[in-house]
Amino acid sequence: MKKNNRYETFCLMIEELDRGTYLINEYDSLLHDYNGVVMFQAESQMVKAIGDSPGITASRLAEQFKKTKSACSQLVRKLKKKGWIMQKRNEENSREYNLFLTETGKDIYSRHRDFEDSCYRRAFEMLSDITPDEMESYIKIQKRLNKAFEMDVSQSKKI
């Protein structure tokens, strides 16, 4: 493969990545019906994170989602008001609260998990002609691109 051809193929790959990023951003901005429970993606991600790690703190969620503590606290208050999560004072550090799902939250967690699983299975089936080795190659490429993107972000923050 000629060097120029390789670069053109790379540019096509980045164009497809950009299209995928656009679609992901659009999807994340929409309301979703998780088997009868309608909510925003940020809410479902928070419910999932708390369901996956009962007792997690808002500070840890902020780190995990790369959001400010204030943004996470706002979402926690919103989910608490909806009756999906509850806070319990941390016995070892009285300034912290641990987060848990309520029974309603556990039901939502389960519905979201089932919905997400069906989405993953649909995408997996659409890749039925892609070999495990090709998937490994994709992961390797994406990890390298992510490093380049991190460098781009770092450079842009200096402006």
Side-chain angles (χ1 to χ4, degrees):
M1 178 182 284
K2 293 181 184 176
K3 185 177 183 181
N4 193 30
N5 235 357
R6 185 172 181 269
Y7 183 73
E8 289 171 8
T9 302
F10 167 79
C11 289
L12 290 173
M13 185 176 72
I14 294 298
E15 285 175 19
E16 286 301 318
L17 179 64
D18 286 345
R19 176 163 162 61
T21 300
Y22 168 80
L23 292 169
I24 289 169
N25 287 334
E26 183 176 11
Y27 179 84
D28 284 350
S29 72
L30 300 171
L31 280 169
H32 301 283
D33 182 345
Y34 296 106
N35 300 316
V37 178
V38 178
M39 66 180 121
F40 285 103
Q41 185 75 354
E43 294 172 321
S44 69
Q45 289 174 337
M46 185 75 70
V47 167
K48 182 181 185 313
I50 296 168
D52 287 347
S53 301
I56 194 167
T57 63
S59 294
R60 179 66 191 110
L61 288 170
E63 290 173 19
Q64 183 176 326
F65 291 119
K66 298 188 180 1
K67 303 282 185 195
T68 64
K69 289 180 184 180
S70 175
C72 271
S73 292
Q74 285 179 332
L75 191 50
V76 163
R77 279 192 299 277
K78 185 177 179 181
L79 297 178
K80 190 175 163 191
K81 186 176 180 180
K82 289 183 175 191
W84 298 352
I85 66 170
M86 62 182 154
Q87 295 176 304
K88 291 186 180 176
R89 189 175 297 274
N90 185 316
E91 293 177 8
E92 295 172 14
N93 181 351
S94 63
R95 293 180 297 145
E96 278 189 341
Y97 287 88
N98 298 97
L99 304 171
F100 300 90
L101 297 178
T102 62
E103 288 306 312
T104 302
K106 290 176 184 176
D107 181 55
I108 291 167
Y109 175 81
S110 176
R111 289 173 188 239
H112 176 267
R113 184 192 59 230
D114 293 347
F115 178 85
E116 190 174 69
D117 186 58
S118 71
C119 290
Y120 284 8
R121 288 187 183 282
R122 179 180 57 231
F124 178 74
E125 292 302 319
M126 292 177 76
L127 298 174
S128 63
D129 61 333
I130 304 296
T131 68
D133 286 342
E134 290 171 317
M135 288 184 193
E136 289 292 331
S137 292
Y138 169 79
I139 293 168
K140 181 178 178 181
I141 291 167
Q142 190 61 56
K143 283 182 177 182
R144 289 206 186 152
L145 286 174
N146 289 347
K147 284 183 183 179
F149 297 155
E150 286 173 359
M151 292 167 65
D152 295 344
V153 168
S154 179
Q155 183 178 5
S156 294
K157 284 184 175 180
K158 292 177 183 175
I159 296 175

